[in-house]
Amino acid sequence: MTVLVVGARGSIGSRLAARLRADGRTVRATVRDELDITAPDGFEDVLKDVDSVFLYATRGDTTPFLAAARSAGVRYAVLLSSPASYEAAEYRGPIGRIHRLNEERLAASGIEHTVLYPSWLATNARRDWSAAIRAGAPVELAYPATQISPIHPGDVADVAAELLTHPAHRGRTQIVTGPVSMRLDEAVAVVGDTLSRAIEVRPIGREEAVARREPWLSEEVLASLLDSAAAGVGHPAPLTNAVERITGRPARPLREWVAENREAFAGQSVGKEK
C-alpha cells in the first residue's frame, strides 16, 4: 500500500511522511514543485499504486486531481482543514470559505475520506512571536485574552498516520486539539518559562493591528482572524480527546513543543524545526 503525502515540506506533512516510513509504510512524498494538485492533468505517475492520500486545503480547483485519484484506485483520503470551516466567527470569512470548498470538492469526488480539524497549531507561536522574542521586544497581541488549545504538530501527524493506515477511526470528521485551553498571553508565558525570562505582552487595538498588516495578508483575511480572536475572549477553547483516542497516548502540551524548538525563540543558531 502506497500513501501519497501532498505537501511533504510542511510542518505536518514532513512529520507524517517520516512517521509512515518509520512504521514501514511505502510513502510517496511530494511538494508543490513536483505536484500541483490544482493543475488540470498530469497525475497518472504520481497516483500509480496509491491507496490513500493526505491533502492540504488549497485555493485552487482540485477537482481534476480528485477525479484522477478516484480513477487510479485511491480508496481513502485525509484532508487537513481548519475549524474556520465551521466556527461562528470565521466560517463566512475567506478562510472558512476556502476550507469548506475543499471539503465539498472532496465529498463530491466519491472518495472515502476524513476531514481533520486541528486546533491552534503550536507552530503559530514560532511564526507570530519568535522574531519579537529573539529581539527582546514585546509580543504584541490584539486580543491577548482570547483562548486557544495549542496542539503539537506531531500529534496532528500521528492522528493522520493512524487514519491513513487503519480504518477504525475513519469518521467523516475528526477534531483534534491540545490538552488544555489557555489564553494567548499565557501561551507567551510558556515560551518565557522555557527561556527562563519574562516576555512582555503588549495589547494593541484592532485599528493598530490593521495598520500593521503585512502586505501578504489581505485585509479581508486579517479581519476574519481578528473576528475569531475577539470571539474567543472569555470563552474556553474547545477540547477533545481525539489524539488519545486515536493514537493511544495523550496530546502533548505546548511546553513540550516549545522546549523542542527553544533555539527559534532564544536567538541562537536555529536548527530544523522539530
Side-chain angles (χ1 to χ4, degrees):
M1 178 183 73
T2 297
V3 180
L4 174 62
V5 177
V6 176
R9 193 177 288 150
S11 64
I12 294 172
S14 60
R15 289 174 170 85
L16 172 60
R19 160 68 192 271
L20 291 169
R21 289 186 177 116
D23 289 347
R25 305 290 179 175
T26 302
V27 178
R28 189 168 298 151
T30 69
V31 297
R32 181 66 181 263
D33 296 344
E34 302 167 336
L35 173 65
D36 180 3
I37 61 172
T38 66
D41 51 35
F43 306 117
E44 292 79 7
D45 290 343
V46 77
L47 288 169
K48 184 178 180 181
D49 300 324
V50 169
D51 180 78
S52 57
V53 179
F54 175 77
L55 299 167
Y56 281 90
T58 180
R59 291 179 180 273
D61 186 0
T62 57
T63 302
F65 171 80
L66 294 170
R70 184 174 185 187
S71 296
V74 172
R75 295 189 296 172
Y76 178 72
V78 171
L79 172 64
L80 185 69
S81 190
S82 166
S85 177
Y86 59 81
E87 288 186 340
E90 281 196 274
Y91 82 95
R92 294 187 182 90
I95 301 173
R97 293 196 302 267
I98 289 169
H99 285 87
R100 285 204 313 279
L101 187 56
N102 277 267
E103 294 168 21
E104 290 165 2
R105 286 170 176 154
L106 181 54
S109 74
I111 299 172
E112 181 188 355
H113 63 277
T114 300
V115 180
L116 191 58
Y117 297 109
S119 59
W120 194 90
L121 292 170
T123 49
N124 291 344
R126 177 176 181 144
R127 181 196 66 193
D128 297 341
W129 307 336
S130 61
I133 292 172
R134 286 197 306 269
V139 172
E140 298 178 333
L141 298 174
Y143 296 98
T146 194
Q147 299 220 21
I148 57 172
S149 54
I151 188 168
H152 194 299
D155 287 345
V156 183
D158 286 351
V159 167
E162 289 294 326
L163 292 171
L164 287 162
T165 56
H166 300 96
H169 298 286
R170 290 180 177 178
R172 184 173 63 86
T173 63
Q174 290 289 354
I175 300 172
V176 293
T177 74
V180 298
S181 177
M182 64 176 66
R183 292 162 48 124
L184 276 176
D185 52 9
E186 292 173 334
V188 175
V190 170
V191 180
D193 288 346
T194 303
L195 300 178
S196 299
R197 66 179 175 89
I199 298 173
E200 181 185 353
V201 172
R202 187 173 84 85
I204 60 174
R206 187 182 181 106
E207 290 184 0
E208 185 174 357
V210 171
R212 291 167 177 258
R213 177 179 62 87
E214 296 289 342
W216 53 266
L217 185 63
S218 75
E219 292 185 23
E220 186 183 20
V221 169
L222 177 57
S224 181
L225 292 172
L226 291 171
D227 288 344
S228 178
V233 174
H235 303 287
L239 299 175
T240 73
N241 68 349
V243 172
E244 184 169 11
R245 180 165 46 84
I246 294 172
T247 69
R249 57 162 183 78
R252 287 171 275 190
L254 175 63
R255 188 175 303 275
E256 183 170 332
W257 179 88
V258 174
E260 292 169 357
N261 294 275
R262 185 181 187 280
E263 293 84 0
F265 301 96
Q268 303 169 9
S269 59
V270 179
K272 186 176 181 181
E273 182 187 90
K274 297 179 181 179

